[in-house]
């Protein structure tokens, strides 16, 4: 069930402000402002009388001043509270501004620290890479030993090239010798065949002569 109020929120604020200014917030007794109004009205009526009533006027006047002092004292206290609150608000605003400035500075410092951290990581990685290269270099033999090894390899290459040249020449010679051997063998074979053919012819000639002699 929805609640029903006699006044809306804006009206409530205006009423509360009016009651604070007029000090009509008390629920017991007559409001101070009405009491002051009555004292003032009594004083005004007493002054307007034509009779010789100076003592009564002074009495009513003093009562009015007393009531005004009574009414003014809480106002002065309220003003002091308001002034203190305003000063406190000013201090709070300054503190808030200082805190905001510190927050911005802290954010800037954090960004700077992030950048420095990233640079430190990169520098550390470079140092680690340099250290790994240094260790790898340290594992290698001295330059003099490497130079001697290269010189020995060059000499070995020259020797192998010379040996390869000699082998090539020897192979070429062997090829020529083999070709010559084949040629000689061919000549020998031809000579043998010619000899056998001549022998066969001679044998045939002797056989014919013997036959003629028998006849």
């Amino acid at each position: 069930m929805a609640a029903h109020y006699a006044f809306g929120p804006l009206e409530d604020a205006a009423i509360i402000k009016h009651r604070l200014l007029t000090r009509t917030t008390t629920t017991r007794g007559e409001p101070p402002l009405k009491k002051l109004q009555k004292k003032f009205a009594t004083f005004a009526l007493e002054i307007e009388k034509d009779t010789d009533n100076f003592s009564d006027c002074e009495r009513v006047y003093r009562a009015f001043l007393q009531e005004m002092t009574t009414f003014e004292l809480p106002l002065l206290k309220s003003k002091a509270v308001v002034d203190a609150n305003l000063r406190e608000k000013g201090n709070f605003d300054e503190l808030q501004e200082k805190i905001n400035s510190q927050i911005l500075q802290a954010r800037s410092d954090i960004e700077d620290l992030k950048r420095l951290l990233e640079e430190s990581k990169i520098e550390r990685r470079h140092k680690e890479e340099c250290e790994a290269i240094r260790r790898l270099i340290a594992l290698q033999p001295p330059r003099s030993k490497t130079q001697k090894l290269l010189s020995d390899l060059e000499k070995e290459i020259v020797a192998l090239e010379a040996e390869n040249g000699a082998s090539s020449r020897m192979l070429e010679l062997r090829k020529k010798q083999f070709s010559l051997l084949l040629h000689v063998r061919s000549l020998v074979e031809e000579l043998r065949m010619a000899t056998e053919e001549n022998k066969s012819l001679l044998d045939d000639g002797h056989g014919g002569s013997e036959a003629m002699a028998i006849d």
Side-chain angles (χ1 to χ4, degrees), residues 150-172:
L150 289 175
S151 179
D152 294 340
L153 288 175
E154 289 177 355
K155 291 179 181 179
E156 186 176 353
I157 290 172
V158 171
L160 290 174
E161 288 178 349
E163 183 179 352
N164 186 31
S167 298
S168 298
R169 290 192 296 272
M170 181 62 69
L171 180 61
E172 188 66 26

Side-chain angles (χ1 to χ4, degrees), residues 15-138:
I15 291 172
I16 291 172
K17 183 178 180 180
H18 176 72
R19 287 181 177 179
L20 289 174
L21 292 175
T22 58
R23 297 187 64 246
T24 57
T25 57
T26 57
T27 57
R28 294 181 180 180
E30 192 175 14
L33 184 59
K34 285 188 177 181
K35 292 172 66 176
L36 181 61
Q37 288 176 346
K38 286 183 178 181
K39 294 291 183 181
F40 178 75
T42 301
F43 176 63
L45 291 174
E46 195 66 33
I47 292 175
E48 290 178 354
K49 291 180 180 180
D50 295 333
T51 58
D52 187 7
N53 56 351
F54 292 106
S55 59
D56 293 335
C57 288
E58 185 176 0
R59 178 179 55 79
V60 174
Y61 172 69
R62 291 183 180 278
F64 172 68
L65 290 180
Q66 181 65 32
E67 189 65 30
M68 182 177 290
T69 302
T70 303
F71 184 82
E72 186 181 15
L73 184 60
L75 293 180
L76 294 175
K77 291 181 179 180
S78 298
K79 184 177 183 302
V81 172
V82 170
D83 293 340
N85 289 335
L86 290 176
R87 288 193 301 271
E88 188 68 21
K89 183 179 181 300
N91 294 333
F92 177 78
D93 291 339
E94 291 179 0
L95 180 61
Q96 184 68 30
E97 184 177 356
K98 184 178 180 180
I99 291 174
N100 291 335
S101 177
Q102 291 176 351
I103 290 174
L104 293 177
Q105 184 63 38
R107 289 177 179 174
S108 177
D109 293 341
I110 290 173
E111 293 299 325
D112 292 339
L113 290 175
K114 286 182 179 179
R115 179 177 53 80
L116 291 176
L117 179 60
E118 189 64 26
E119 292 177 355
S120 298
K121 288 181 179 179
I122 295 174
E123 184 178 358
R124 181 179 179 182
R125 185 165 62 250
H126 289 170
K127 288 183 178 179
E128 290 176 352
E129 292 174 354
C130 292
E131 181 64 20
I133 294 173
R134 187 191 66 79
R135 291 178 180 176
L136 183 62
I137 293 173

Side-chain angles (χ1 to χ4, degrees), residues 189-206:
E189 186 66 23
E190 290 178 359
L191 182 60
R192 185 184 64 79
M193 291 177 65
T195 303
E196 289 180 355
E197 185 177 356
N198 290 332
K199 183 179 180 182
S200 177
L201 290 175
L202 290 174
D203 290 340
D204 290 342
H206 288 297

